[in-house]
Amino acid sequence: MAIKAKKRDASDEPEGKWPYGKKNYILFAAALIVIIFGFVTLGQGSMTLAPILLVIGYCVLIPMALIWKDKPEENETAETTPTE
């Protein structure tokens, strides 16, 4: 028989737990650095590098920082044992 792993959804999370971890903050800090560097280069007159950096910061890195989920610490598939 095949064993189905339990799906994780938002209701499995404890109510008081913050959903963001260390990787989320690192990605967000990288996004801020890229955005600041993009505005600095825009102020210096760059019309090619600045928009590229701003788009990467706003449209790639910040959404990644908000969406990224770490893998669960517990191995959920190891907890299930087949019953015969």
Side-chain angles (χ1 to χ4, degrees):
M1 282 190 170
I3 300 171
K4 292 184 180 181
K6 181 181 174 187
K7 289 185 178 181
R8 290 186 64 192
D9 57 1
S11 62
D12 289 343
E13 296 283 330
E15 292 214 13
K17 187 176 180 204
W18 188 253
Y20 302 115
K22 185 177 179 181
K23 289 182 184 178
N24 297 94
Y25 290 116
I26 291 171
L27 281 171
F28 189 71
L32 287 179
I33 291 169
V34 169
I35 290 169
I36 290 170
F37 190 64
F39 277 115
V40 168
T41 57
L42 185 65
Q44 293 175 352
S46 172
M47 289 297 164
T48 55
L49 181 62
I52 292 170
L53 290 174
L54 292 172
V55 167
I56 289 172
Y58 282 118
C59 297
V60 176
L61 293 176
I62 288 181
M64 279 179 57
L66 294 174
I67 295 172
W68 185 272
K69 283 271 193 176
D70 288 332
K71 293 182 180 178
E73 294 176 7
E74 304 164 8
N75 191 356
E76 292 179 3
T77 58
E79 292 177 3
T80 58
T81 57
T83 56
E84 292 183 25

